[in-house]
Amino acid sequence: MANRRDALVVLAGLAAGLGVARAATPTQAVPGEDGLYTQPWFMQTFLDLREDLAEAAAQGKRFAVLWEQRGCPYCREMHLVNLAKPTVRDYIRDNFGMLQLNLWGSREVTDFDGKVLEERELARRWRVNFTPTIQFFPADLAAAGNRPGVDLEVARMPGYFKPFHFLSMFEFVRSGAYAEGNFQRFLQDKFAELKAKGVDPAVW
């Protein structure tokens, strides 16, 4: 009996060890000091949004701003479920420059019109009220004029989307489909295309 108990203790220890190793895996997002989950490929910048968009464009990417806040369960879900899927993560990383901002943060950000505000002030200016919210911007600012970001965004993801819809929104922006129709129509066309190929979108 003692041998069996010892064996169970050893197995439990091994399982715990595996759990620790798994938690330390660099591909798994963990919250930082500010309580926000993050990704190693998110943009690290001086928070001048015109410069950030230009930097993304120089790499052939679109620019997006992601708003999160401490303790947001849907933000956590986005990181640990959506962005844990290689297909989703790799598409976004390869095609978008993603800047993460804190809904209640105090870092100074320079808006597209040159106005400098703290993150929380910018959130109010851009009418961002909950998290996660993702705002997508034009491919370039050549004809943008001196306007704030809220007037420049080409699409907005208002809240948490399941992985299939989440990825589809990024495809919607990357393809420029927002210039021809709305996201709902884009989704309907994508569903129809997948079903014609015998792929069930519900698998996502």
Side-chain angles (χ1 to χ4, degrees), residues 111-123:
D111 200 347
F112 290 99
D113 62 354
K115 189 173 181 64
V116 179
L117 307 101
E118 291 185 348
E119 290 165 282
R120 54 197 169 207
E121 296 172 331
L122 184 67

Side-chain angles (χ1 to χ4, degrees), residues 71-88:
C72 167
Y74 291 110
C75 299
R76 180 179 183 276
E77 187 87 354
M78 180 186 68
H79 284 278
L80 300 187
V81 177
N82 296 24
L83 295 175
K85 290 181 175 291
T87 302
V88 176

Side-chain angles (χ1 to χ4, degrees), residues 153-172:
E153 66 180 52
V154 298
R156 178 181 291 213
M157 188 183 298
Y160 175 71
F161 284 18
K162 291 291 186 179
F164 178 83
H165 295 76
F166 185 79
L167 175 60
S168 297
M169 174 61 90
F170 283 88
E171 294 173 336
F172 173 70

Side-chain angles (χ1 to χ4, degrees), residues 42-49 51-53 55-56 63 97-101 107-109:
F42 280 176
M43 296 179 74
Q44 301 297 324
T45 76
F46 293 110
L47 304 182
D48 184 318
L49 299 182
E51 292 181 359
D52 295 345
L53 186 148
E55 179 183 332
F63 180 60
M98 182 87 82
L99 179 68
Q100 182 186 52
L101 295 180
R107 294 181 300 170
E108 289 191 338
V109 185

Side-chain angles (χ1 to χ4, degrees), residues 92-112:
I92 297 172
R93 182 195 61 203
D94 294 345
N95 290 281
F96 285 83
M98 182 87 82
L99 179 68
Q100 182 186 52
L101 295 180
N102 186 338
L103 187 68
W104 306 107
S106 59
R107 294 181 300 170
E108 289 191 338
V109 185
T110 304
D111 200 347
F112 290 99

Side-chain angles (χ1 to χ4, degrees), residues 24-62:
T25 301
T27 56
Q28 184 175 354
V30 294
E33 292 181 2
D34 58 1
L36 305 188
Y37 285 80
T38 189
Q39 300 288 330
W41 45 272
F42 280 176
M43 296 179 74
Q44 301 297 324
T45 76
F46 293 110
L47 304 182
D48 184 318
L49 299 182
R50 276 188 172 268
E51 292 181 359
D52 295 345
L53 186 148
E55 179 183 332
Q59 298 172 9
K61 299 179 180 183
R62 297 298 297 261

